[in-house]
Amino acid sequence: MSQAVVHNGIVYISGQVDNTSADVKAQTENVLKKVDALLEEAGTDKTKLLTASIWLKDIGRDFQDMNSVWYNWLDASNKPVRATVEANMASPSLLVEIQVSAAVE
């Protein structure tokens, strides 16, 4: 499976997860580092984000912590459309998964 696909000037990045940390803040930080690296490989960056989908294992417990990391990472002049939902994750240790798309110029 591809980590990223570029089509018609848009990079689509697959859902990124982190199982090296036990809390949602650290997992979110690590996931966003992966997102940054994949965006860079595709020739773009977070200033060109278009969409974001975020899945949380426990939205009631983890939304505020994830959201604070997200907004500290996000480019303030370019906020993409975003959906955040609670979901059963592929592994019990996973607390957050993030998928984004971005323009490639």
Side-chain angles (χ1 to χ4, degrees), residues 24-71:
V24 75
K25 278 188 172 185
Q27 283 192 18
T28 304
E29 289 168 354
N30 291 338
V31 165
L32 293 174
K33 287 177 188 174
K34 291 179 182 183
V35 168
D36 280 332
L38 289 166
L39 290 170
E40 184 177 351
E41 285 178 33
T44 191
D45 59 43
K46 65 186 174 186
T47 66
K48 296 178 180 66
L49 286 179
L50 301 170
T51 65
S53 298
I54 301 175
W55 295 270
L56 289 169
K57 182 176 183 176
D58 186 335
I59 201 165
R61 178 191 66 205
D62 293 333
F63 181 81
Q64 288 186 359
D65 286 341
M66 175 283 300
N67 210 41
S68 69
V69 174
W70 171 261
Y71 276 107

Side-chain angles (χ1 to χ4, degrees), residues 5-19:
V5 174
V6 177
H7 178 72
N8 286 338
I10 299 174
V11 61
Y12 302 90
I13 294 179
S14 66
Q16 298 298 303
V17 296
D18 172 65
N19 61 4

